[in-house]
Amino acid sequence: IIKFQGEIKMDKITNSEEIAAGTDATSSDSDSDDISDYDEINQYNTLANLADTDEDGLSDYEESIYDRLYAFRSVLGMELAGG
């Protein structure tokens, strides 16, 4: 918990960033996809108010796990099934 300009914040996002992103200032994970609003905005470039940014049926969290697995296996020179 961070005290920011007299407010108690659950994340590292300012109120103006929360408003711009359309997120819930009282929640550190507005879309409940197990990625914090801060990380969605600053690391993953996904929408912090939509659990499945690209609407492909996989949540942003599921895709982040797959992307990390793919990157790890690529480093090892392994292929993933189906691609």
Side-chain angles (χ1 to χ4, degrees), residues 11-62:
D11 53 28
K12 299 176 259 183
I13 303 173
T14 65
N15 282 339
S16 59
E17 289 171 316
E18 297 269 13
I19 291 167
T23 57
D24 179 357
T26 64
S27 174
S28 61
D29 183 13
S30 296
D31 57 10
S32 302
D33 65 356
D34 293 323
I35 302 175
S36 72
D37 293 347
Y38 179 85
D39 285 346
E40 290 208 60
I41 293 168
N42 295 291
Q43 180 177 350
Y44 294 104
N45 198 30
T46 54
L47 298 175
N49 61 352
L50 186 62
D52 180 10
T53 296
D54 59 8
E55 298 179 332
D56 65 353
L58 293 174
S59 73
D60 295 337
Y61 176 76
E62 292 168 323

Side-chain angles (χ1 to χ4, degrees), residues 69-79:
L69 176 61
Y70 184 81
F72 176 73
R73 291 185 77 164
S74 293
V75 167
L76 297 177
M78 302 167 73
E79 290 187 27

